[in-house]
Amino acid sequence: MASDLQHKPQLAALWARPETLLARLFDHRIAGIATALLALMVFFSFASDAFLSVNNLLNVTRQVSIMAILSVGMTIAIISGGIDLSVGSIIAFVGVIVASAMTDLSLPIWVAVLFGLATGAAIGFGNGALVALAGVPAFIATLGTMTALRGLTYLYTDGYPIYNLPTAFAWLGAGYVAGIPVPTILMLLVGAVAYVVLSRTPFGIHIYAVGENETAARRVGVRVARVKLLAYVACGILAAISAIVLAARLRAGLPTSGFTYELTAIAAVILGGTSISGGQGSVIGTILGALLLGVLANGLTLLNIEPYVLEVVTGGIIIVAVLMDSLKHRKRAS
Amino acid sequence: MPILELRNVAKRFGAVEALRGVSLSIEAGEAIGLVGDNGAGKSTLLKVISGVYPPDDGELVLEGKVRRFASPLDARDAGIEIVHQDLALCDNLDAALNVFLGRELTRGIGPFRLIDQAAMRSQAKALIEVLEVEVAVTEPVRAMSGGQRQAIAIARALLGNAKIVLLDEPTAAISIAAVEQVLALIRRLKARGHTVIIISHRMSDIFETCNRIVVMRHGENVATKRVLETDRQEVTNLITGALARA
Ligand SMILES: Nc1ncnc2c1ncn2[C@@H]1O[C@H](COP(=O)(O)OP(=O)(O)OP(=O)(O)O)[C@@H](O)[C@H]1O
Ligand SMILES: [Mg+2]
């Protein structure tokens, strides 16, 4: 054991002084997804003339931002040991609510946006209460919310889109600040805040602890139920942000929007190296995962490849990512 | 005045009477060895003392005052720390974060508080150094040895400056070399003035570190003996029931 210990500091030095918990735990995973993303970009740069331009790349980040923000929320839920299947339905529900607030109720944009965020938080609170307080498995609880919310959205709209949202609102989806799309800026902001919260605050540390070993966390006095509940609230708020950006981009609240988004979000999270069984994961990885899926979609479109191919390829990539994750777990267990 | 006194403490789990009226009095600075067969109620007793379970009956007197702990946090505030049989560390967090989990040091103002990693690392390092075990506090505990994990769990108990430290089978899950380390660690706890209660199935652990031995059988305290006034044979007989009481 003594010789073991002597090796440790040297090994640690090789990590080039990792500053944060995340850097330490997930460097190798992020390196994997970053390399894959880079390779894909190099490939599309050669395969298509249109790919490698500032405009196209900025456009990719704009397209990706909605999924990326959604996936950051999913990351938090998954690290805490749960999952949130209702985020796709939140996109539709909150989108419709915000659209209706601005048109039917003629509320100011900022009031409608705040109302949308509060709605997302409330739905997250409901999910969290079911999971953390009532002890319903996250998969079942959020599946219920997903179905019920989608139904409510159709009931409220009779299945019709709500159009004619204010031009000023559309800025949130289509605008630019200093040449950078507003959704891209929102994605970076959300990513930065989530990164700091997860890796540098007691709440973030507790999310990792609860996802890894709930009993251990409870014994040392971590308020497990509260941590889980807040994880779902965060996930709900982030889904609401995505909903607002999407509604702004479409200038409409569509009851059909966000359909199967939860699955793509889970895919981005897993691609980013977050373990589906909780306790491990990173925001940076997730955003890279979402970017990878976005670049793939963009590149294949530019190459005029049938959209069905994209689904097959995406599915394949997800299976490989999950396989690698479970192999890692098996190695660790033995 | 004893630092801790148990009076007729009872605890049931459904039909199982895990504790049937245990009484015990412990002086400050003592090391007590708690022995007994599997299922005798040893872990349950420590859990009652540390606030994990409230007793169904009887009372717990800490420094002369009757106390009822609603949670382990209450017991910790009162100066009682427990190191559980299954340690329960978070494998994904580094040693320093495990020591401070639930009591993280932070910097900042109001709600904008970030963890103070440097402070936690240096304090965790100092605590673990007191135990004279080498642990790289910045490493995740996943890969650590049984002795190192034990040191981290004990360091966590020392963080709150506990008066009473409860150790549930600290030597059960570790290598022979690490056992010596942990026993030395227990002696150091004692030397630093902590009152210690240790559960162990290894008789030698108890005889090497403790002042008194408490033998439990079927949820009862059947004997409390000074280590110097008993021997392994007598204790073994008490555990098995070959000797009813002493
Ligand atoms: N949470 C619980 N629920 C139900 N029964 C329990 C619980 N905890 C303990 N028991 C029962 O209480 C009795 C005493 O258990 P306890 O864990 O205190 O024994 P122990 O002396 O620590 O045994 P060991 O040496 O095996 O650790 C056992 O019969 C056990 O099955
Ligand atoms: Mg036990």
Side-chain angles (χ1 to χ4, degrees):
Chain A
M1 193 172 60
S3 66
D4 228 56
L5 281 169
Q6 279 152 15
H7 279 102
K8 285 246 162 86
Q10 285 164 21
L11 213 111
L14 287 179
W15 284 85
R17 267 207 68 73
E19 278 308 313
T20 67
L21 167 81
L22 286 176
R24 170 164 295 281
L25 288 180
F26 310 117
D27 257 2
H28 60 294
R29 296 182 183 220
I30 290 172
I33 180 75
T35 312
L37 177 60
L38 213 67
L40 200 63
M41 289 176 69
V42 169
F43 171 76
F44 282 132
S45 303
F46 283 109
S48 157
D49 294 336
F51 181 78
L52 195 63
S53 75
V54 173
N55 248 340
N56 184 52
L57 291 183
L58 279 181
N59 208 27
V60 169
T61 64
R62 184 211 299 280
Q63 283 164 359
V64 162
S65 60
I66 290 162
M67 188 50 71
I69 293 170
L70 199 65
S71 306
V72 168
M74 186 68 82
T75 308
I76 297 172
I78 290 182
I79 294 175
S80 81
I83 197 157
D84 189 348
L85 298 179
S86 70
V87 292
S89 295
I90 294 180
I91 293 237
F93 188 74
V94 170
V96 160
I97 290 275
V98 171
S100 169
M102 283 184 292
T103 52
D104 302 332
L105 303 178
S106 310
L107 289 174
I109 293 171
W110 67 271
V111 175
V113 165
L114 279 186
F115 188 59
L117 295 177
T119 306
I123 297 167
F125 188 90
N127 282 331
L130 284 173
V131 174
L133 305 179
V136 182
F139 187 88
I140 307 296
T142 59
L143 187 68
T145 316
M146 166 179 132
T147 314
L149 272 184
R150 184 66 69 181
L152 274 177
T153 311
Y154 280 115
L155 275 178
Y156 183 71
T157 59
D158 281 329
Y160 292 110
I162 302 173
Y163 290 118
N164 299 325
L165 304 187
T167 322
F169 178 67
W171 177 81
L172 282 172
Y176 289 85
V177 172
I180 300 178
V182 173
T184 305
I185 293 170
L186 285 175
M187 169 178 81
L188 294 175
L189 267 178
V190 163
V193 170
Y195 172 82
V196 170
V197 168
L198 272 180
S199 63
R200 301 289 184 109
T201 67
F203 172 60
I205 302 300
H206 294 172
I207 288 187
Y208 281 96
V210 166
E212 174 78 21
N213 191 337
E214 202 176 312
T215 317
R218 184 173 294 116
R219 276 189 194 157
V220 299
V222 171
R223 285 180 285 179
V224 171
R226 183 168 167 272
V227 169
K228 283 192 187 177
L229 197 126
L230 287 177
Y232 287 93
V233 171
C235 189
I237 292 174
L238 291 182
I241 295 177
S242 290
I244 291 163
V245 174
L246 182 60
R249 233 181 88 191
L250 302 172
R251 283 196 70 186
L254 304 187
T256 49
S257 67
F259 188 64
T260 72
Y261 274 30
E262 63 283 344
L263 300 180
T264 314
I266 293 168
V269 170
I270 290 171
L271 278 177
T274 292
S275 162
I276 196 74
S277 42
Q280 314 252 338
S282 77
V283 170
I284 297 174
T286 292
I287 290 181
L288 290 175
L291 278 172
L292 185 119
L293 293 177
V295 164
L296 195 65
N298 178 263
L300 292 181
T301 311
L302 290 179
L303 293 178
N304 280 322
I305 291 173
E306 275 186 277
Y308 305 120
V309 174
L310 174 66
E311 292 184 21
V312 175
V313 173
T314 308
I317 291 177
I318 293 165
I319 292 173
V320 170
V322 174
L323 216 78
M324 278 165 61
D325 182 54
S326 72
L327 282 180
K328 237 172 248 161
H329 273 275
R330 202 171 311 156
K331 219 186 284 162
R332 196 177 291 146
S334 64
Chain B
M1 180 180 66
I3 187 165
L4 177 70
E5 212 184 329
L6 304 180
R7 296 181 187 150
N8 269 311
V9 169
K11 175 73 196 165
R12 254 179 309 280
F13 296 106
V16 181
E17 285 189 83
L19 300 175
R20 328 177 178 221
V22 174
S23 297
L24 184 61
S25 172
I26 300 169
E27 298 298 325
E30 261 195 311
I32 301 286
L34 194 53
V35 298
D37 214 343
N38 292 116
K42 307 180 296 294
S43 295
T44 306
L45 188 66
L46 293 200
K47 283 177 181 165
V48 166
I49 296 174
S50 62
V52 176
Y53 306 130
D56 295 332
D57 209 351
E59 54 193 22
L60 210 142
V61 186
L62 186 68
E63 297 176 307
K65 276 191 282 241
V66 176
R67 304 293 296 260
R68 258 194 100 75
F69 300 132
S71 78
L73 291 183
D74 277 2
R76 181 193 283 168
D77 287 343
I80 300 177
E81 292 273 357
I82 182 165
V83 177
H84 286 280
Q85 196 161 354
D86 53 350
L87 299 186
L89 302 176
C90 286
D91 281 345
N92 56 342
L93 303 179
D94 67 31
L97 282 175
N98 264 290
V99 169
F100 281 91
L101 190 58
R103 301 180 258 192
E104 292 82 4
L105 304 178
T106 56
R107 294 185 294 190
I109 23 169
F112 303 103
R113 304 199 70 85
L114 300 183
I115 56 168
D116 190 343
Q117 213 147 19
M120 284 193 279
R121 285 178 176 173
S122 72
Q123 285 190 34
K125 196 157 176 274
L127 277 171
I128 295 171
E129 260 162 21
V130 166
L131 305 173
E132 291 176 22
V133 179
E134 265 192 81
V135 172
V137 292
T138 57
E139 294 288 322
V141 304
R142 171 163 287 120
M144 295 202 182
S145 72
Q148 290 171 316
R149 297 171 76 89
Q150 193 74 51
I152 293 165
I154 293 177
R156 182 160 72 197
L158 297 185
L159 189 62
N161 224 345
K163 283 176 261 185
I164 305 178
V165 180
L166 313 175
L167 299 163
D168 196 346
E169 302 202 27
T171 57
I174 57 183
S175 71
I176 298 197
V179 167
E180 271 318 309
Q181 222 174 24
V182 170
L183 293 185
L185 222 145
I186 294 167
R187 281 189 214 102
R188 241 167 267 131
L189 284 182
K190 215 169 101 184
R192 290 169 68 86
H194 298 281
T195 305
V196 196
I197 308 182
I198 305 143
I199 297 179
S200 183
H201 286 286
R202 295 163 39 94
M203 208 70 84
S204 53
D205 292 356
I206 305 286
F207 276 88
E208 281 174 37
T209 55
C210 294
N211 307 95
R212 285 193 296 157
I213 300 188
V214 171
V215 184
M216 290 190 63
R217 195 168 66 236
H218 301 313
E220 282 179 290
N221 170 2
V222 293
T224 305
K225 304 282 280 183
R226 308 209 131 273
V227 165
L228 298 175
E229 290 162 7
T230 185
D231 54 51
R232 290 173 192 220
Q233 192 54 52
E234 186 185 26
V235 173
T236 306
N237 289 343
L238 283 162
I239 290 173
T240 58
L243 196 59
R245 275 172 192 280

